[in-house]
Amino acid sequence: MKTLKSTILALAMISFASSLGAVMTDELGLAPLYWYKNVSGLRSYGTSTLTWDKQFSNFLDTDEGSLCAASVKGGCYGSGVDYGKGDLGLDQVDLEIRDHEFLVLLGPSGCGKSTMLRVIAGLVKQTEGAVLFDDVDVTGYDARERNVSMVFQNYALYPHLNVFKNIAFPLGNNKKMSKEEITARVEEVAKILEIEDILNRRPRELSGGQRQRVALGRAMVRNPRVFLFDEPLSNLDTAMRQELRDVIADLHRRLDTTFIYVTHDQAEAMQLGDRVAVMDEGEIVQIGAPQEVYNNPNCVYVAGFVGNPKMNFFASRFVKKADHWAVKIMGHEFDLPTGRVPYISEDPAITDNGRVISGIRPEDIRLEPLEGAEDAEFKAVVVKTLPMGAGLHAELQCGDTHFLAVFLNHTNIGPGEEVTLHLDPSNIHLFDPETEKTLVKG
């Protein structure tokens, strides 16, 4: 069994302009206000840190020359990607990748996630800084010398080669392996991916899911240090995406090595990732376990991007009570749990009648009273509904404000009906309208 420790650390610079605004409603008179302009944008953030630490270990009881999994410890330092004319690729990104983890880089198109992946792979050369593997500067190394494998969105298979030869292609220049060893390696990979029966077919004779399995096999056959995935499932239909997600998750458990996965699909991120790094404008805005990012977004951008349907945002006001704080949303006061916002705070954003962005996830609004939790109720009128199988998406109106709720097994409500809604105030997210950062303290 081989033992390997590698360090990959990357820093880079990127900036893409985006401006997504929102019309909000002030609590004092419910008049439209425009004091909050960037619901989906975060302009700048500090750095995070990326390292990963792994050991080579056999994932199958195999003889020498068969498949084994690599581990890496590392990160990127000071790497910048400059496309010229002020268009930067990555902006001071520190990212720590842990031992054996599945890390997902999540964000919209143009946020820098693929650039980050390609810097690590050696496909994009940074204009400053260095990439290190095992404390060795590999900035000048090409992708082959870094021993990483990458799976692309478009499969990148050779159309004139059959499946066997496509999978075996990365081993073609390996003079240490005999033809018998290469055949054994390919057959082993094919068995894991359940494609033994299509080894003689060419790519044009395969479905999209089969082609992506072949691409996965070609990446696996080299025993890479790190697996890199650049939106590999984007070209597949819904059913096939789910099937391949399960395959990739199983491969990670089986190989027990580092996976870095780029996607814009939050369902993939939530299902696959041990941690999710949400990116925007070349920066990592928040990184954490999927449920942590979902439950405790650190800014409006993350709160609006992670979650489907998206979080509702309301222009609101703080209300100072004798021993606690409340927030006024759509004309209703909701008492905040003690400690969620400190009574005495040095934060100038937390003042009586001070402006605040309130966020409520559609699934946190209920039709039935809450059990075992604080229950605040208010009324709204149903504007329209969209049946979604087991549940119902409903657009609701309270005063001049429209918002979305998701109900389970309540398909009997319809447009024009007034309903009583229930909400646990501890599920209200609070954001500074100036910095867009969270104000929640506990």
Side-chain angles (χ1 to χ4, degrees), residues 64-75:
E64 185 170 348
S66 58
L67 291 169
C68 62
S71 271
V72 188
K73 178 182 179 181

Side-chain angles (χ1 to χ4, degrees), residues 134-172:
D134 263 347
D135 297 324
V136 175
D137 188 345
V138 298
T139 305
Y141 292 16
D142 62 25
R144 179 180 296 274
E145 293 172 310
R146 297 188 187 195
N147 191 22
V148 300
S149 280
M150 196 161 183
V151 180
F152 298 91
Q153 175 180 344
N154 62 358
Y155 319 129
L157 302 179
Y158 296 101
H160 63 292
L161 301 180
N162 63 20
V163 169
F164 183 97
K165 292 180 179 179
N166 264 285
I167 295 176
F169 190 84
L171 304 178

Side-chain angles (χ1 to χ4, degrees), residues 24-33 315 317 328 330-331 399-401:
M24 301 207 141
T25 305
D26 190 294
E27 279 316 305
L28 306 180
L30 295 172
L33 291 181
R317 298 278 178 172
K328 193 173 185 181
M330 298 180 292
D400 292 338
T401 304

Side-chain angles (χ1 to χ4, degrees), residues 329-402:
I329 306 172
M330 298 180 292
H332 299 272
E333 288 187 9
F334 296 89
D335 292 330
L336 298 172
T338 302
R340 194 160 179 81
V341 177
Y343 181 67
I344 300 175
S345 174
E346 298 178 358
D347 192 330
I350 304 176
T351 60
D352 188 29
N353 201 40
R355 297 180 307 180
V356 61
I357 303 299
S358 296
I360 302 174
R361 293 201 181 277
E363 54 270 34
D364 288 331
I365 301 171
R366 310 289 180 83
L367 283 173
E368 64 281 345
L370 303 174
E371 297 181 3
E374 292 293 327
D375 186 5
E377 64 178 55
F378 60 103
K379 294 185 181 297
V381 175
V382 179
V383 177
K384 59 184 177 182
T385 60
L386 178 63
M388 298 292 290
L392 182 75
H393 289 198
E395 181 184 342
L396 301 153
Q397 182 175 2
C398 182
D400 292 338
T401 304
H402 288 244

Side-chain angles (χ1 to χ4, degrees), residues 5-79:
K5 285 186 177 179
S6 277
T7 303
I8 300 179
L9 286 107
L11 261 153
M13 288 172 124
I14 208 172
S15 90
F16 293 101
S18 71
S19 177
L20 295 176
V23 178
M24 301 207 141
T25 305
D26 190 294
E27 279 316 305
L28 306 180
L30 295 172
L33 291 181
Y34 293 85
W35 49 264
Y36 179 66
K37 293 292 185 184
N38 295 306
V39 169
S40 300
L42 184 68
R43 296 298 150 256
S44 63
Y45 247 80
T47 57
S48 317
T49 306
L50 164 84
T51 325
W52 70 88
D53 181 4
K54 297 196 171 290
Q55 302 294 323
F56 264 118
S57 59
N58 290 330
F59 69 86
L60 292 174
D61 293 326
T62 53
D63 298 325
E64 185 170 348
S66 58
L67 291 169
C68 62
S71 271
V72 188
K73 178 182 179 181
C76 304
Y77 294 102
S79 300

Side-chain angles (χ1 to χ4, degrees), residues 35 314-318 327-328 349 354-358 429-433 439:
W35 49 264
F314 306 92
S316 311
R317 298 278 178 172
F318 277 122
V327 63
K328 193 173 185 181
R355 297 180 307 180
V356 61
I357 303 299
S358 296
H429 300 264
L430 304 167
F431 304 97
D432 188 319
L439 294 173

Side-chain angles (χ1 to χ4, degrees), residues 278-297:
V278 184
M279 296 191 68
D280 182 39
E281 297 187 354
E283 300 180 359
I284 292 177
V285 182
Q286 184 172 358
I287 184 169
Q291 207 60 40
E292 171 66 20
V293 173
Y294 176 85
N295 290 334
N296 301 296

